[in-house]
Amino acid sequence: MRRLVNDGYEAVEEMLAGYVAAQGKYVDFAENDKRVIVSKQMSEEPRVRIIVGGGSGHEPLFLGYVGKDFADAAVVGNINTSPSPEPCYNAVKAVDSGKGCLYMYGNYAGDVMNFDMGAEMAADDGIRVETVLVTDDIYSAENVEDRRGVAGDLIVFKAAASAAAKGLDLDAVKQAAEKANANTFSMGVALSSSTLPVTGKAIFEMKEGEMEVGMGIHGEPGIKRTSIEPADKVVDQIMGYLIEEMNLTSGEEVHVLINGLGGLPVMDQYICYRRVDEILKEKGVHIHSPLVGNYATSMDMIGMSITLVRLDDELKDLLDTPCDTPYFKVD
């Protein structure tokens, strides 16, 4: 295992302790729960609170986006595992200011079950909690509502957080998140598995020199497994699926996110972005504020995903609204 850990069973707790120590300007643990990271820069005025979360191993998702005018809390589960209902509930108790809370996370069965239970516990205390599931992974299911959430989490979270920062009510904040989700489309490629710190072994088998187009961030099966191909050919395949799914046409405007999955060099990510830029310009599509980097990883997995967001004036304004967190800032 090419990882620097101590006891694999303590990896999440030790990571969280290190994160809070390093990012003390922005975050702290909830008073009664060290699986809940809360913002130290929440607004003093009451507003809708944004709570995100899911399994560990995807850093900086989710905890890296807790800060000023972005997420107010992140609930952290074990590696690739949903947090249990109690910390989901504790996050609400830690940040609610009387305006209600919005849960947001990727569409995975365990997360849905446990966050729903947390919302029910909060309802028993008279606190309204709504939920928006992120479903941007276009290959993961034919029906949109059954799709997984991947790097598009960042986009949907940002739209909702900006709406909350503007003082909108819970219904309007939820609507902003749903609109962002409906206009966010992602697809990725993996060149290796990630390694579990508990076992020291790969999550799934992949031979040297192979790649899988469409693979999920937990190793969910993709479209096809082939020999590794040049970057341009890989990007052409992914962009073909995304453009078709979106029915993207000349004159439109999009937000582009090239997301590294943890083990792919930034150099390679920019090589991929170069080809995305060429394809969209050739098609007459304008690119607004592109992002390139590791935003939603799968530990040490070598791979990347491309996310396209269809923009209008409302979504552009929400994505451009200032925020300040350890891993995402807009000035």
Side-chain angles (χ1 to χ4, degrees):
M1 178 172 67
R2 298 177 182 178
R3 301 281 302 274
L4 291 176
V5 299
N6 297 308
D7 181 343
Y9 288 98
E10 298 296 325
V12 174
E13 279 71 23
E14 291 185 351
M15 178 268 292
L16 291 173
Y19 185 81
V20 170
Q23 304 297 347
K25 169 186 172 182
Y26 292 97
V27 300
D28 202 351
F29 290 114
E31 184 176 349
N32 62 340
D33 197 325
K34 290 196 173 181
R35 285 303 185 97
V36 178
I37 303 296
V38 297
S39 174
K40 293 171 73 172
Q41 300 192 17
M42 278 186 286
S43 62
E44 293 184 4
E45 77 276 8
R47 66 167 66 157
V48 174
R49 300 303 186 192
I50 303 299
I51 300 172
V52 302
S56 297
H58 308 301
E59 293 74 31
L61 191 73
F62 299 87
L63 72 177
Y65 306 130
V66 177
K68 180 177 175 58
D69 294 336
F70 205 158
D72 298 296
V75 192
V76 182
N78 289 328
I79 293 171
N80 290 344
T81 304
S82 168
S84 62
E86 186 174 5
C88 297
Y89 165 70
N90 288 339
V92 173
K93 296 293 288 183
V95 302
D96 178 64
S97 61
K99 299 290 186 179
C101 300
L102 183 65
Y103 279 157
M104 286 187 293
Y105 49 89
N107 184 26
Y108 298 92
D111 292 301
V112 172
M113 178 177 67
N114 291 339
F115 275 95
D116 279 355
M117 291 176 67
E120 291 171 3
M121 295 163 71
D124 289 340
D125 289 340
I127 303 173
R128 183 184 171 201
V129 179
E130 294 290 334
T131 298
V132 172
L133 305 178
V134 184
T135 57
D136 60 305
D137 188 347
I138 66 169
Y139 181 70
S140 56
E142 184 174 350
N143 295 323
V144 174
E145 61 270 20
D146 295 327
R147 292 176 177 173
R148 303 183 292 250
V150 285
D153 283 2
L154 175 68
I155 304 300
V156 181
F157 297 172
K158 178 66 175 73
S162 297
K166 294 176 183 294
L168 303 183
D169 65 19
L170 183 53
D171 290 327
V173 171
K174 181 180 180 181
Q175 185 177 29
E178 291 173 336
K179 179 175 181 176
N181 185 59
N183 287 280
T184 301
F185 306 82
S186 300
M187 189 172 179
V189 60
L191 283 65
S192 78
S193 173
S194 53
T195 308
L196 286 173
V198 171
T199 65
K201 296 180 180 179
I203 294 176
F204 57 88
E205 292 298 323
M206 180 173 277
K207 295 178 182 178
E208 187 77 21
E210 287 186 335
M211 70 174 195
E212 186 156 349
V213 176
M215 179 174 283
I217 60 175
H218 305 110
E220 298 93 341
I223 295 171
K224 60 180 179 179
R225 185 173 293 196
T226 66
S227 297
I228 294 175
E229 297 176 314
D232 283 5
K233 191 170 182 179
V234 173
V235 171
D236 287 351
Q237 291 181 64
I238 295 173
M239 288 294 287
Y241 287 111
L242 290 171
I243 289 170
E244 181 180 6
E245 176 73 20
M246 296 175 70
N247 192 25
L248 193 63
T249 59
S250 177
E252 293 198 79
E253 186 171 19
V254 297
H255 190 62
V256 177
L257 166 61
I258 301 293
N259 174 62
L261 291 172
L264 188 72
V266 173
M267 173 186 285
D268 301 27
Q269 295 177 36
Y270 277 106
I271 290 171
C272 291
Y273 178 78
R274 161 196 147 275
R275 182 58 183 153
V276 171
D277 183 80
E278 288 176 352
I279 291 169
L280 292 175
K281 285 180 177 176
E282 289 169 3
K283 195 169 180 61
V285 175
H286 177 69
I287 300 171
H288 178 73
S289 299
L291 298 171
V292 178
N294 296 335
Y295 293 92
T297 67
S298 185
M299 293 180 286
D300 56 339
M301 181 183 285
I302 301 172
M304 66 90 188
S305 62
I306 302 172
T307 300
L308 300 182
V309 187
R310 174 177 274 116
L311 296 176
D312 61 9
D313 289 343
E314 180 187 13
L315 283 178
K316 196 188 310 187
D317 176 64
L318 291 171
L319 296 178
D320 288 347
T321 298
C323 67
D324 183 16
T325 78
Y327 285 88
F328 192 82
K329 299 180 183 180
V330 177
D331 297 321

